[in-house]
Amino acid sequence: MTGMFGRPLGTGGVVGGGIKGWVRDVLDLSESSTVMVAELACTEPGCPPLETVVAVLDAGATRRYTIHRPMAEITEADVRALLSPTPAATDQEEP
């Protein structure tokens, strides 16, 4: 069964929820912090067709991270590497 944009139903919530949990664990976030995960189409030249954007809203500050893969391909190790004290410059984008 497909959803509104022709994508399979039921995978984004489970996968996105796992990513949110990993982000919370790695950053040791409180329950008052908000973590948002979205899979977006990338239209920039050389960019993969789908990328995953993670936004963390915590105590008035917003941090944004991008992983250049679909949500379904992201592992806990990817999230840990992205959020480690020295993340790869190509995987992290902060405004």
Side-chain angles (χ1 to χ4, degrees), residues 9-22 71-72:
L9 288 176
T11 57
V14 173
V15 175
I19 294 170
K20 285 180 184 182
W22 299 332
M71 269 195 250

Side-chain angles (χ1 to χ4, degrees), residues 7 38-43 48-53 64 69 71:
R7 296 175 55 178
E39 188 174 78
L40 304 172
C42 184
T43 58
L50 292 175
E51 65 184 14
T52 301
V53 177
R64 189 179 131 230
R69 287 193 296 279
M71 269 195 250

Side-chain angles (χ1 to χ4, degrees), residues 19-85:
I19 294 170
K20 285 180 184 182
W22 299 332
V23 169
R24 284 190 174 284
D25 288 346
V26 172
L27 296 178
D28 194 27
L29 297 174
S30 70
E31 288 300 316
S32 64
S33 300
T34 301
V35 178
M36 297 183 297
V37 178
E39 188 174 78
L40 304 172
C42 184
T43 58
E44 296 177 19
C47 185
L50 292 175
E51 65 184 14
T52 301
V53 177
V54 177
V56 178
L57 294 87
D58 187 33
T62 301
R63 294 173 276 175
R64 189 179 131 230
Y65 305 90
T66 301
I67 301 175
H68 297 285
R69 287 193 296 279
M71 269 195 250
E73 294 178 9
I74 296 172
T75 66
E76 182 176 359
D78 293 328
V79 172
R80 289 192 178 281
L82 177 68
L83 301 175
S84 68

